[in-house]
Structure formats: structure tokens, C-alpha cells
């Protein structure tokens, strides 16, 4: 499935893409790869994203789709993107601007990491790395890594964070203390696996998580679905504003307080990776 030729895409980046900087090389993908959309820009959610979308709207008359480029651990990115688009959708973007479903959900990331881990040897430990974010986002990566281990063939799947605790060098050391002869480092991000420091021999780079052509295919699928909904008057923005609900510290509602859920009409909900998201072919 591909998006119409008139679609222009802006990629919204968060902590999984270094604020969008790891997405810059992907902007030229899309139509050049036969996926049927034109990449316009990649920008961090907030003012940079609003400016990029305003530029995309001014550059032509066709629809503009914004893709929250999360792999499944950044619901704040979705909500921040929706907030950045809200006023544009009521003004110059009316009827032309759409927020797509997020690039991926946690279920997709589990599948992608499993596929990347499959390149490691049977006796290897797998070290999943990502830039440090917040406590809930980082805790979610531990949960995901546990499921990668549960449904994979590697008995050791550890986690490390660039700029966090444990850092990649500590993660490699833990794998060795647990008896691993070799460690394969796999990034749970759009960037490359960070060098784990002076850790000696036996450390292998298992990245990138997804190749650019595979990312372009997923972006095209999200864009096509969003354009279909836009044709029926649904731009996805109101639902995107509710993406953070339930994320973070638990909270309660007082007596008589209503508890509203908008839901996202086109967010990934299937327990297995989306057929358009190449969970088993990351390379």
C-alpha cells in the first residue's frame, strides 16, 4: 500500500531519534524509493516541528502528514506532536494536515529487536542500548528486553543507556560477568549502537535496528492510512492529544470526576507486529 503522489511527509523526532537528528538522512527516502510520498523535513516536536509543517504547507497544495517517529517508548512525542499541529490544523492546514499513527508500538519494537538479535551467535549475549530518557521510558525498555529474551533464543538480553545507568560499558561488563563470550550490541533507536568504550575484544555491532528502505515502507503505510482517514474528515490530532494518558505515575480521580478516553482511531493495537512494519527483516 502506498500513499498518493501528492502527499508530503514531516517526521517528528523524540528521544529515540536524538530529537530528529537521526532521521535527517531519511527525508530523501520515500518517493525516491518508490513509496509514493515526498519527505519534507525531520524536526523535534514543538516549535521546530511547527515551523517545518508550516513550511511544508506553504510549499504546495496537497496534504501534509506528520509521522510521530517513535518505536513504541515515547507516548509524549505523540502528544507533543498533536499539540504542535493543533493550531495549524485550525488555520492554514485545515483539511490538509493529518497526524498519522505512530511509526511503531512496543509490540513492533519487540519483533524488530528479536530479528536483530537473531543475527547474534547462539552463545552471545545481546545488549539492547538506547539514549537515556525518563524513568518510565527507560523502565519500558527493560520490559521489552525481557520479552525479547522470553520469545527469542538468547538467554542473556541486557539493557544499557547512553548517558544513563547502566551505560554501555557497564552493560557489556555485566554480560561478561554472566558468562557471555561475545556481546552483540543492538540499538533500540533510530541511531547506531554506541561504542561501549574500551571493553576489549568480543563486542559486535548488531545495528542498525532497521534499514532506511524498511523505515520508508513503514512511513508510507502510516501515511496512506492517515490520508484515507483524512478523506473522511479525521485528522488524528484530537486523539493524539490523549496519547500520554496512563503513562507515568499512577493517578486517581476524585469522587464524581469523569474519566474520559478519546482513543486513537488508527493507533497500532494488534498484539503482533504490523504487516507493513517489517519486524522480521530489519536488515
Amino acid at each position: 500500500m502506498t500513499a498518493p503522489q501528492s502527499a508530503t511527509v514531516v517526521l517528528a523526532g523524540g528521544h529515540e531519534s536524538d530529537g530528529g537528528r537521526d532521521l535527517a538522512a531519511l527525508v530523501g527516502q520515500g518517493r525516491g524509493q518508490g513509496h509514493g510520498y515526498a519527505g519534507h523535513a525531520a524536526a523535534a516536536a514543538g516549535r521546530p516541528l511547527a515551523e517545518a509543517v508550516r513550511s511544508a504547507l506553504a510549499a504546495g497544495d496537497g496534504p501534509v502528514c506528520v509521522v510521530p517517529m517513535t518505536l513504541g517508548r515515547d507516548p509524549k512525542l505523540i502528544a507533543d506532536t498533536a499539540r504542535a499541529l493543533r493550531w495549524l490544523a485550525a488555520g492554514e492546514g485545515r483539511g490538509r494536515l493529518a497526524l498519522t499513527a505512530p511509526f511503531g508500538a512496543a509490540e513492533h519494537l519487540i519483533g524488530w529487536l528479536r530479528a536483530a538479535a537473531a543475527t547474534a551467535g547462539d552463545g552471545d549475549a545481546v545488549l539492547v542500548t538506547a539514549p537515556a530518557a525518563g524513568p518510565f521510558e527507560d523502565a519500558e525498555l527493560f520490559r521489552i528486553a525481557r520479552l525479547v529474551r522470553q520469545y527469542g533464543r538468547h538467554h542473556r538480553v541486557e539493557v544499557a543507556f547512553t548517558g544513563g545507568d547502566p551505560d554501555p560499558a557497564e552493560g557489556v561488563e555485566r554480560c561478561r560477568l554472566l558468562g557471555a563470550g561475545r556481546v552483540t550490541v543492538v540499538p533500540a533507536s533510530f541511531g547506531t549502537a554506541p561504542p561501549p568504550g574500551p571493553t576489549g575484544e568480543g563486542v559486535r555491532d548488531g545495528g542498525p535496528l532497521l534499514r532506511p528502505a524498511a523505515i520508508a515502507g513503514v512511513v508510507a503505510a502510516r501515511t496512506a492510512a492517515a490520508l484515507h482517514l483524512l478523506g473522511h474528515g479525521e485528522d488524528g490530532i484530537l486523539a493524539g492529544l490523549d496519547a500520554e494518558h496512563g503513562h507515568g505515575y499512577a493517578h486517581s480521580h476524585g469522587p464524581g470526576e469523569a474519566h474520559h478516553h478519546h482513543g486513537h482511531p488508527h493507533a497500532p493495537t494488534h498484539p503482533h507486529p504490523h504487516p507493513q512494519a517489517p519486524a522480521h527483516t530489519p536488515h
Side-chain angles (χ1 to χ4, degrees):
M1 176 165 51
T2 57
Q5 291 294 318
S6 59
T8 298
V9 169
V10 177
L11 307 178
H15 63 79
E16 294 161 299
S17 63
D18 192 19
R21 283 177 283 273
D22 291 333
L23 305 173
L26 302 172
V27 173
Q29 300 288 325
R31 190 166 296 166
Q33 298 290 327
H35 288 295
Y37 68 84
H40 181 81
R47 186 183 297 274
L49 179 63
E51 292 174 353
V53 172
R54 188 172 285 112
S55 170
L57 289 167
D61 298 326
V64 174
C65 293
V66 182
V67 186
M69 295 296 286
T70 173
L71 293 164
R73 294 192 307 114
D74 197 355
K76 184 177 185 296
L77 172 64
I78 305 168
D80 285 348
T81 300
R83 283 189 282 269
L85 302 184
R86 191 174 190 178
W87 304 114
L88 289 171
E92 61 260 52
R94 184 183 298 273
R96 294 176 53 204
L97 183 58
L99 173 62
T100 79
F103 178 90
E107 291 80 6
H108 300 120
L109 182 54
I110 292 166
W112 289 325
L113 286 170
R114 284 182 61 200
T119 67
D122 288 341
D124 290 9
V126 175
L127 181 64
V128 177
T129 65
F136 296 100
E137 292 84 358
D138 292 353
E140 175 69 356
L141 189 57
F142 280 97
R143 184 188 76 87
I144 286 169
R146 182 64 180 82
L147 292 173
V148 172
R149 174 186 170 186
Q150 180 72 27
Y151 299 113
R153 58 185 177 84
H154 294 88
H155 297 298
R156 303 180 190 90
V157 180
E158 300 295 323
V159 170
F161 300 97
T162 307
D165 179 27
D167 66 23
E170 292 170 325
V172 168
E173 183 61 24
R174 174 171 172 76
C175 291
R176 287 178 171 158
L177 289 173
L178 292 172
R182 191 169 70 157
V183 181
T184 294
V185 184
V186 178
S189 67
F190 289 100
T192 57
T199 54
E201 299 296 326
V203 179
R204 173 180 172 273
D205 183 355
L209 182 66
L210 294 167
R211 297 291 184 187
I215 295 172
V218 178
V219 169
R222 302 291 179 259
T223 301
L227 288 173
H228 175 77
L229 290 169
L230 186 63
H232 293 278
E234 171 57 62
D235 64 12
I237 294 172
L238 180 61
L241 293 169
D242 203 36
E244 281 186 284
H245 191 90
H247 180 73
Y249 291 102
H251 63 279
S252 60
H253 296 269
E257 286 187 72
H259 194 157
H260 298 289
H261 293 268
H262 294 296
H264 201 300
H266 50 278
T269 57
H270 198 277
H272 300 291
H274 193 286
Q276 291 293 337
H280 301 292
T281 56
H283 304 295

